[in-house]
mmCIF file of all heavy atoms in Angstrom:
data_model
loop_
_atom_site.group_PDB
_atom_site.id
_atom_site.type_symbol
_atom_site.label_atom_id
_atom_site.label_comp_id
_atom_site.label_asym_id
_atom_site.label_seq_id
_atom_site.Cartn_x
_atom_site.Cartn_y
_atom_site.Cartn_z
ATOM 1 N N ARG A 186 248.368 -43.176 59.203
ATOM 2 C CA ARG A 186 248.609 -41.996 60.026
ATOM 3 C C ARG A 186 247.626 -40.882 59.696
ATOM 4 O O ARG A 186 247.095 -40.223 60.591
ATOM 5 C CB ARG A 186 250.036 -41.498 59.851
ATOM 6 C CG ARG A 186 251.068 -42.386 60.516
ATOM 7 C CD ARG A 186 252.466 -41.849 60.320
ATOM 8 N NE ARG A 186 253.446 -42.629 61.063
ATOM 9 C CZ ARG A 186 254.728 -42.338 61.104
ATOM 10 N NH1 ARG A 186 255.198 -41.284 60.459
ATOM 11 N NH2 ARG A 186 255.547 -43.096 61.802
ATOM 12 N N ALA A 187 247.385 -40.664 58.407
ATOM 13 C CA ALA A 187 246.449 -39.612 57.989
ATOM 14 C C ALA A 187 245.028 -39.913 58.474
ATOM 15 O O ALA A 187 244.323 -39.015 58.931
ATOM 16 C CB ALA A 187 246.470 -39.453 56.466
ATOM 17 N N ALA A 188 244.618 -41.169 58.373
ATOM 18 C CA ALA A 188 243.263 -41.536 58.817
ATOM 19 C C ALA A 188 243.110 -41.327 60.319
ATOM 20 O O ALA A 188 242.091 -40.793 60.782
ATOM 21 C CB ALA A 188 242.966 -42.991 58.444
ATOM 22 N N VAL A 189 244.104 -41.728 61.097
ATOM 23 C CA VAL A 189 244.052 -41.520 62.549
ATOM 24 C C VAL A 189 244.011 -40.031 62.857
ATOM 25 O O VAL A 189 243.206 -39.567 63.669
ATOM 26 C CB VAL A 189 245.254 -42.207 63.253
ATOM 27 C CG1 VAL A 189 245.392 -41.743 64.700
ATOM 28 C CG2 VAL A 189 245.105 -43.726 63.184
ATOM 29 N N ASP A 190 244.848 -39.267 62.199
ATOM 30 C CA ASP A 190 244.900 -37.824 62.421
ATOM 31 C C ASP A 190 243.554 -37.159 62.099
ATOM 32 O O ASP A 190 243.045 -36.356 62.880
ATOM 33 C CB ASP A 190 246.012 -37.226 61.569
ATOM 34 C CG ASP A 190 246.390 -35.837 62.006
ATOM 35 O OD1 ASP A 190 246.687 -35.638 63.203
ATOM 36 O OD2 ASP A 190 246.400 -34.934 61.149
ATOM 37 N N GLN A 191 242.972 -37.505 60.962
ATOM 38 C CA GLN A 191 241.674 -36.935 60.574
ATOM 39 C C GLN A 191 240.599 -37.263 61.599
ATOM 40 O O GLN A 191 239.810 -36.392 61.990
ATOM 41 C CB GLN A 191 241.250 -37.443 59.198
ATOM 42 C CG GLN A 191 242.052 -36.878 58.073
ATOM 43 C CD GLN A 191 241.770 -37.580 56.758
ATOM 44 O OE1 GLN A 191 241.010 -38.543 56.688
ATOM 45 N NE2 GLN A 191 242.396 -37.100 55.693
ATOM 46 N N GLN A 192 240.552 -38.508 62.039
ATOM 47 C CA GLN A 192 239.525 -38.902 63.001
ATOM 48 C C GLN A 192 239.731 -38.220 64.351
ATOM 49 O O GLN A 192 238.768 -37.902 65.044
ATOM 50 C CB GLN A 192 239.478 -40.416 63.139
ATOM 51 C CG GLN A 192 238.977 -41.127 61.894
ATOM 52 C CD GLN A 192 237.622 -40.619 61.420
ATOM 53 O OE1 GLN A 192 236.714 -40.418 62.213
ATOM 54 N NE2 GLN A 192 237.485 -40.397 60.131
ATOM 55 N N CYS A 193 240.970 -37.979 64.729
ATOM 56 C CA CYS A 193 241.232 -37.246 65.984
ATOM 57 C C CYS A 193 240.736 -35.810 65.887
ATOM 58 O O CYS A 193 240.185 -35.272 66.854
ATOM 59 C CB CYS A 193 242.713 -37.273 66.312
ATOM 60 S SG CYS A 193 243.276 -38.850 66.964
ATOM 61 N N GLN A 194 240.924 -35.196 64.739
ATOM 62 C CA GLN A 194 240.436 -33.834 64.568
ATOM 63 C C GLN A 194 238.910 -33.791 64.612
ATOM 64 O O GLN A 194 238.326 -32.911 65.248
ATOM 65 C CB GLN A 194 240.961 -33.250 63.260
ATOM 66 C CG GLN A 194 242.458 -32.967 63.308
ATOM 67 C CD GLN A 194 242.974 -32.406 62.004
ATOM 68 O OE1 GLN A 194 242.478 -31.386 61.552
ATOM 69 N NE2 GLN A 194 243.958 -33.062 61.423
ATOM 70 N N VAL A 195 238.258 -34.749 63.976
ATOM 71 C CA VAL A 195 236.798 -34.827 64.019
ATOM 72 C C VAL A 195 236.333 -35.007 65.462
ATOM 73 O O VAL A 195 235.405 -34.337 65.925
ATOM 74 C CB VAL A 195 236.269 -35.963 63.118
ATOM 75 C CG1 VAL A 195 234.789 -36.206 63.346
ATOM 76 C CG2 VAL A 195 236.553 -35.670 61.651
ATOM 77 N N LEU A 196 236.987 -35.900 66.193
ATOM 78 C CA LEU A 196 236.649 -36.136 67.587
ATOM 79 C C LEU A 196 236.799 -34.858 68.404
ATOM 80 O O LEU A 196 235.946 -34.532 69.236
ATOM 81 C CB LEU A 196 237.527 -37.249 68.175
ATOM 82 C CG LEU A 196 237.349 -37.551 69.661
ATOM 83 C CD1 LEU A 196 235.935 -38.021 69.964
ATOM 84 C CD2 LEU A 196 238.375 -38.594 70.110
ATOM 85 N N ALA A 197 237.869 -34.117 68.172
ATOM 86 C CA ALA A 197 238.091 -32.869 68.911
ATOM 87 C C ALA A 197 236.941 -31.895 68.696
ATOM 88 O O ALA A 197 236.462 -31.275 69.651
ATOM 89 C CB ALA A 197 239.417 -32.239 68.483
ATOM 90 N N TYR A 198 236.471 -31.766 67.476
ATOM 91 C CA TYR A 198 235.365 -30.843 67.206
ATOM 92 C C TYR A 198 234.050 -31.337 67.811
ATOM 93 O O TYR A 198 233.240 -30.537 68.279
ATOM 94 C CB TYR A 198 235.241 -30.572 65.707
ATOM 95 C CG TYR A 198 236.334 -29.641 65.229
ATOM 96 C CD1 TYR A 198 237.379 -30.107 64.449
ATOM 97 C CD2 TYR A 198 236.344 -28.292 65.595
ATOM 98 C CE1 TYR A 198 238.402 -29.261 64.033
ATOM 99 C CE2 TYR A 198 237.350 -27.442 65.190
ATOM 100 C CZ TYR A 198 238.378 -27.930 64.409
ATOM 101 O OH TYR A 198 239.385 -27.095 64.010
ATOM 102 N N GLU A 199 233.850 -32.648 67.821
ATOM 103 C CA GLU A 199 232.665 -33.196 68.503
ATOM 104 C C GLU A 199 232.723 -32.878 69.999
ATOM 105 O O GLU A 199 231.725 -32.478 70.598
ATOM 106 C CB GLU A 199 232.588 -34.706 68.309
ATOM 107 C CG GLU A 199 232.180 -35.142 66.925
ATOM 108 C CD GLU A 199 232.216 -36.651 66.764
ATOM 109 O OE1 GLU A 199 232.712 -37.368 67.661
ATOM 110 O OE2 GLU A 199 231.741 -37.122 65.713
ATOM 111 N N LEU A 200 233.887 -33.066 70.582
ATOM 112 C CA LEU A 200 234.050 -32.797 72.012
ATOM 113 C C LEU A 200 233.922 -31.307 72.321
ATOM 114 O O LEU A 200 233.473 -30.938 73.411
ATOM 115 C CB LEU A 200 235.396 -33.336 72.506
ATOM 116 C CG LEU A 200 235.546 -34.853 72.479
ATOM 117 C CD1 LEU A 200 236.981 -35.251 72.806
ATOM 118 C CD2 LEU A 200 234.569 -35.522 73.417
ATOM 119 N N LEU A 201 234.291 -30.447 71.375
ATOM 120 C CA LEU A 201 234.116 -29.003 71.558
ATOM 121 C C LEU A 201 232.650 -28.667 71.799
ATOM 122 O O LEU A 201 232.328 -27.879 72.692
ATOM 123 C CB LEU A 201 234.603 -28.240 70.325
ATOM 124 C CG LEU A 201 236.012 -27.723 70.325
ATOM 125 C CD1 LEU A 201 236.357 -27.133 68.969
ATOM 126 C CD2 LEU A 201 236.237 -26.707 71.411
ATOM 127 N N GLY A 202 231.770 -29.244 71.012
ATOM 128 C CA GLY A 202 230.337 -28.998 71.190
ATOM 129 C C GLY A 202 229.875 -29.436 72.564
ATOM 130 O O GLY A 202 229.118 -28.725 73.237
ATOM 131 N N GLN A 203 230.329 -30.597 72.991
ATOM 132 C CA GLN A 203 229.959 -31.083 74.318
ATOM 133 C C GLN A 203 230.541 -30.169 75.402
ATOM 134 O O GLN A 203 229.865 -29.835 76.375
ATOM 135 C CB GLN A 203 230.452 -32.516 74.502
ATOM 136 C CG GLN A 203 230.005 -33.132 75.801
ATOM 137 C CD GLN A 203 230.482 -34.572 75.945
ATOM 138 O OE1 GLN A 203 231.084 -35.150 75.057
ATOM 139 N NE2 GLN A 203 230.208 -35.144 77.097
ATOM 140 N N TYR A 204 231.786 -29.759 75.232
ATOM 141 C CA TYR A 204 232.433 -28.873 76.205
ATOM 142 C C TYR A 204 231.671 -27.557 76.346
ATOM 143 O O TYR A 204 231.435 -27.081 77.452
ATOM 144 C CB TYR A 204 233.889 -28.599 75.797
ATOM 145 C CG TYR A 204 234.533 -27.532 76.642
ATOM 146 C CD1 TYR A 204 235.015 -27.818 77.908
ATOM 147 C CD2 TYR A 204 234.631 -26.221 76.174
ATOM 148 C CE1 TYR A 204 235.598 -26.834 78.696
ATOM 149 C CE2 TYR A 204 235.206 -25.240 76.954
ATOM 150 C CZ TYR A 204 235.685 -25.542 78.211
ATOM 151 O OH TYR A 204 236.242 -24.555 78.985
ATOM 152 N N PHE A 205 231.291 -26.963 75.224
ATOM 153 C CA PHE A 205 230.585 -25.683 75.280
ATOM 154 C C PHE A 205 229.281 -25.805 76.062
ATOM 155 O O PHE A 205 228.919 -24.923 76.829
ATOM 156 C CB PHE A 205 230.320 -25.133 73.879
ATOM 157 C CG PHE A 205 231.552 -24.646 73.176
ATOM 158 C CD1 PHE A 205 231.628 -24.667 71.800
ATOM 159 C CD2 PHE A 205 232.654 -24.173 73.872
ATOM 160 C CE1 PHE A 205 232.754 -24.216 71.129
ATOM 161 C CE2 PHE A 205 233.796 -23.721 73.224
ATOM 162 C CZ PHE A 205 233.839 -23.741 71.842
ATOM 163 N N GLY A 206 228.567 -26.913 75.890
ATOM 164 C CA GLY A 206 227.338 -27.133 76.654
ATOM 165 C C GLY A 206 227.598 -27.275 78.138
ATOM 166 O O GLY A 206 226.927 -26.668 78.978
ATOM 167 N N VAL A 207 228.599 -28.084 78.483
ATOM 168 C CA VAL A 207 228.944 -28.312 79.892
ATOM 169 C C VAL A 207 229.495 -27.032 80.522
ATOM 170 O O VAL A 207 229.099 -26.641 81.622
ATOM 171 C CB VAL A 207 229.979 -29.469 80.014
ATOM 172 C CG1 VAL A 207 230.575 -29.540 81.401
ATOM 173 C CG2 VAL A 207 229.322 -30.789 79.645
ATOM 174 N N GLU A 208 230.396 -26.359 79.828
ATOM 175 C CA GLU A 208 231.051 -25.171 80.380
ATOM 176 C C GLU A 208 230.074 -24.009 80.538
ATOM 177 O O GLU A 208 230.152 -23.262 81.512
ATOM 178 C CB GLU A 208 232.238 -24.758 79.521
ATOM 179 C CG GLU A 208 232.955 -23.510 79.983
ATOM 180 C CD GLU A 208 233.488 -23.553 81.405
ATOM 181 O OE1 GLU A 208 233.656 -24.654 81.976
ATOM 182 O OE2 GLU A 208 233.728 -22.474 81.966
ATOM 183 N N SER A 209 229.126 -23.844 79.612
ATOM 184 C CA SER A 209 228.165 -22.751 79.768
ATOM 185 C C SER A 209 227.279 -22.982 80.987
ATOM 186 O O SER A 209 226.997 -22.046 81.744
ATOM 187 C CB SER A 209 227.328 -22.551 78.505
ATOM 188 O OG SER A 209 226.535 -23.681 78.242
ATOM 189 N N LYS A 210 226.883 -24.231 81.204
ATOM 190 C CA LYS A 210 226.088 -24.558 82.383
ATOM 191 C C LYS A 210 226.887 -24.303 83.660
ATOM 192 O O LYS A 210 226.417 -23.684 84.609
ATOM 193 C CB LYS A 210 225.639 -26.019 82.317
ATOM 194 C CG LYS A 210 224.661 -26.423 83.409
ATOM 195 C CD LYS A 210 224.298 -27.898 83.311
ATOM 196 C CE LYS A 210 223.485 -28.160 82.073
ATOM 197 N NZ LYS A 210 223.013 -29.563 82.008
ATOM 198 N N ARG A 211 228.127 -24.788 83.674
ATOM 199 C CA ARG A 211 228.994 -24.602 84.833
ATOM 200 C C ARG A 211 229.263 -23.122 85.099
ATOM 201 O O ARG A 211 229.173 -22.636 86.225
ATOM 202 C CB ARG A 211 230.330 -25.333 84.631
ATOM 203 C CG ARG A 211 231.183 -25.401 85.902
ATOM 204 C CD ARG A 211 232.659 -25.493 85.591
ATOM 205 N NE ARG A 211 233.180 -24.369 84.869
ATOM 206 C CZ ARG A 211 233.452 -23.166 85.413
ATOM 207 N NH1 ARG A 211 233.229 -22.949 86.680
ATOM 208 N NH2 ARG A 211 233.934 -22.194 84.674
ATOM 209 N N ALA A 212 229.541 -22.364 84.046
ATOM 210 C CA ALA A 212 229.885 -20.946 84.191
ATOM 211 C C ALA A 212 228.715 -20.115 84.690
ATOM 212 O O ALA A 212 228.884 -19.233 85.539
ATOM 213 C CB ALA A 212 230.400 -20.398 82.861
ATOM 214 N N VAL A 213 227.515 -20.382 84.204
ATOM 215 C CA VAL A 213 226.366 -19.584 84.640
ATOM 216 C C VAL A 213 226.002 -19.905 86.089
ATOM 217 O O VAL A 213 225.651 -19.007 86.859
ATOM 218 C CB VAL A 213 225.159 -19.733 83.682
ATOM 219 C CG1 VAL A 213 224.440 -21.059 83.850
ATOM 220 C CG2 VAL A 213 224.192 -18.578 83.854
ATOM 221 N N ILE A 214 226.119 -21.153 86.486
ATOM 222 C CA ILE A 214 225.850 -21.515 87.886
ATOM 223 C C ILE A 214 226.904 -20.885 88.799
ATOM 224 O O ILE A 214 226.577 -20.314 89.842
ATOM 225 C CB ILE A 214 225.805 -23.050 88.053
ATOM 226 C CG1 ILE A 214 224.568 -23.617 87.353
ATOM 227 C CG2 ILE A 214 225.805 -23.437 89.532
ATOM 228 C CD1 ILE A 214 224.544 -25.134 87.247
ATOM 229 N N ALA A 215 228.160 -20.950 88.392
ATOM 230 C CA ALA A 215 229.244 -20.357 89.196
ATOM 231 C C ALA A 215 229.094 -18.849 89.309
ATOM 232 O O ALA A 215 229.426 -18.260 90.343
ATOM 233 C CB ALA A 215 230.597 -20.713 88.588
ATOM 234 N N ALA A 216 228.570 -18.207 88.273
ATOM 235 C CA ALA A 216 228.391 -16.754 88.293
ATOM 236 C C ALA A 216 227.202 -16.331 89.164
ATOM 237 O O ALA A 216 227.207 -15.246 89.741
ATOM 238 C CB ALA A 216 228.204 -16.228 86.876
ATOM 239 N N GLU A 217 226.219 -17.176 89.285
ATOM 240 C CA GLU A 217 224.986 -16.806 89.974
ATOM 241 C C GLU A 217 224.916 -17.250 91.434
ATOM 242 O O GLU A 217 224.216 -16.636 92.227
ATOM 243 C CB GLU A 217 223.776 -17.375 89.221
ATOM 244 C CG GLU A 217 223.553 -16.750 87.854
ATOM 245 C CD GLU A 217 223.186 -15.271 87.919
ATOM 246 O OE1 GLU A 217 222.486 -14.854 88.855
ATOM 247 O OE2 GLU A 217 223.638 -14.533 87.028
ATOM 248 N N LEU A 218 225.614 -18.314 91.784
ATOM 249 C CA LEU A 218 225.504 -18.849 93.145
ATOM 250 C C LEU A 218 226.783 -18.601 93.937
ATOM 251 O O LEU A 218 227.882 -18.608 93.373
ATOM 252 C CB LEU A 218 225.201 -20.348 93.105
ATOM 253 C CG LEU A 218 223.867 -20.725 92.457
ATOM 254 C CD1 LEU A 218 223.739 -22.227 92.353
ATOM 255 C CD2 LEU A 218 222.693 -20.144 93.218
ATOM 256 N N PRO A 219 226.664 -18.405 95.242
ATOM 257 C CA PRO A 219 227.862 -18.187 96.064
ATOM 258 C C PRO A 219 228.751 -19.435 96.090
ATOM 259 O O PRO A 219 228.257 -20.567 96.081
ATOM 260 C CB PRO A 219 227.301 -17.886 97.456
ATOM 261 C CG PRO A 219 225.849 -18.165 97.412
ATOM 262 C CD PRO A 219 225.422 -18.350 95.998
ATOM 263 N N GLN A 220 230.057 -19.202 96.157
ATOM 264 C CA GLN A 220 231.045 -20.278 96.120
ATOM 265 C C GLN A 220 230.837 -21.308 97.226
ATOM 266 O O GLN A 220 230.972 -22.500 97.000
ATOM 267 C CB GLN A 220 232.460 -19.697 96.197
ATOM 268 C CG GLN A 220 233.565 -20.715 96.053
ATOM 269 C CD GLN A 220 233.582 -21.415 94.701
ATOM 270 O OE1 GLN A 220 233.191 -20.843 93.690
ATOM 271 N NE2 GLN A 220 234.004 -22.662 94.691
ATOM 272 N N ASP A 221 230.474 -20.855 98.430
ATOM 273 C CA ASP A 221 230.315 -21.799 99.544
ATOM 274 C C ASP A 221 229.169 -22.777 99.307
ATOM 275 O O ASP A 221 229.167 -23.885 99.822
ATOM 276 C CB ASP A 221 230.140 -21.058 100.875
ATOM 277 C CG ASP A 221 228.881 -20.199 100.926
ATOM 278 O OD1 ASP A 221 228.400 -19.759 99.851
ATOM 279 O OD2 ASP A 221 228.377 -19.970 102.042
ATOM 280 N N ARG A 222 228.208 -22.398 98.520
ATOM 281 C CA ARG A 222 227.084 -23.287 98.192
ATOM 282 C C ARG A 222 227.493 -24.349 97.161
ATOM 283 O O ARG A 222 226.916 -25.432 97.112
ATOM 284 C CB ARG A 222 225.918 -22.455 97.671
ATOM 285 C CG ARG A 222 224.656 -23.237 97.562
ATOM 286 C CD ARG A 222 223.457 -22.365 97.423
ATOM 287 N NE ARG A 222 222.341 -23.176 96.986
ATOM 288 C CZ ARG A 222 221.357 -22.745 96.244
ATOM 289 N NH1 ARG A 222 221.311 -21.487 95.879
ATOM 290 N NH2 ARG A 222 220.395 -23.559 95.881
ATOM 291 N N LEU A 223 228.502 -24.024 96.357
ATOM 292 C CA LEU A 223 228.936 -24.928 95.285
ATOM 293 C C LEU A 223 230.030 -25.899 95.730
ATOM 294 O O LEU A 223 230.180 -26.966 95.138
ATOM 295 C CB LEU A 223 229.456 -24.111 94.099
ATOM 296 C CG LEU A 223 228.447 -23.167 93.450
ATOM 297 C CD1 LEU A 223 229.128 -22.371 92.351
ATOM 298 C CD2 LEU A 223 227.259 -23.923 92.916
ATOM 299 N N GLU A 224 230.787 -25.536 96.765
ATOM 300 C CA GLU A 224 231.949 -26.323 97.166
ATOM 301 C C GLU A 224 231.633 -27.780 97.479
ATOM 302 O O GLU A 224 232.388 -28.672 97.114
ATOM 303 C CB GLU A 224 232.634 -25.672 98.376
ATOM 304 C CG GLU A 224 233.384 -24.423 98.011
ATOM 305 C CD GLU A 224 233.956 -23.711 99.227
ATOM 306 O OE1 GLU A 224 233.681 -24.142 100.367
ATOM 307 O OE2 GLU A 224 234.670 -22.723 99.023
ATOM 308 N N ASP A 225 230.549 -28.041 98.145
ATOM 309 C CA ASP A 225 230.207 -29.410 98.543
ATOM 310 C C ASP A 225 229.075 -30.014 97.721
ATOM 311 O O ASP A 225 228.513 -31.036 98.104
ATOM 312 C CB ASP A 225 229.839 -29.446 100.035
ATOM 313 C CG ASP A 225 231.015 -29.065 100.910
ATOM 314 O OD1 ASP A 225 232.156 -29.399 100.539
ATOM 315 O OD2 ASP A 225 230.790 -28.426 101.959
ATOM 316 N N HIS A 226 228.758 -29.403 96.617
ATOM 317 C CA HIS A 226 227.667 -29.902 95.775
ATOM 318 C C HIS A 226 228.220 -30.928 94.783
ATOM 319 O O HIS A 226 229.025 -30.599 93.907
ATOM 320 C CB HIS A 226 226.997 -28.742 95.035
ATOM 321 C CG HIS A 226 225.672 -29.103 94.469
ATOM 322 N ND1 HIS A 226 225.548 -29.745 93.268
ATOM 323 C CD2 HIS A 226 224.420 -28.942 94.953
ATOM 324 C CE1 HIS A 226 224.266 -29.944 93.008
ATOM 325 N NE2 HIS A 226 223.563 -29.470 94.019
#
């Protein structure tokens, strides 16, 4: 149980790094471009 728990926490932090990269890209595009241009992209 401890080994599974530890590895899940490590995975969560790895995914955090990936999320921050994806979310910053998504957020800056959403802030700069009109919504109607993004809806069907």
Side-chain angles (χ1 to χ4, degrees):
R186 287 180 175 183
V189 167
D190 196 53
Q191 288 170 357
Q192 292 306 316
C193 284
Q194 290 179 57
V195 170
L196 176 62
Y198 285 108
E199 287 176 351
L200 294 172
L201 266 174
Q203 185 179 356
Y204 171 79
F205 289 152
V207 168
E208 178 57 20
S209 64
K210 187 182 292 185
R211 191 207 61 77
V213 75
I214 291 170
E217 293 295 325
L218 297 174
Q220 185 63 30
D221 63 334
R222 191 164 166 211
L223 299 177
E224 287 175 355
D225 296 326
H226 196 277

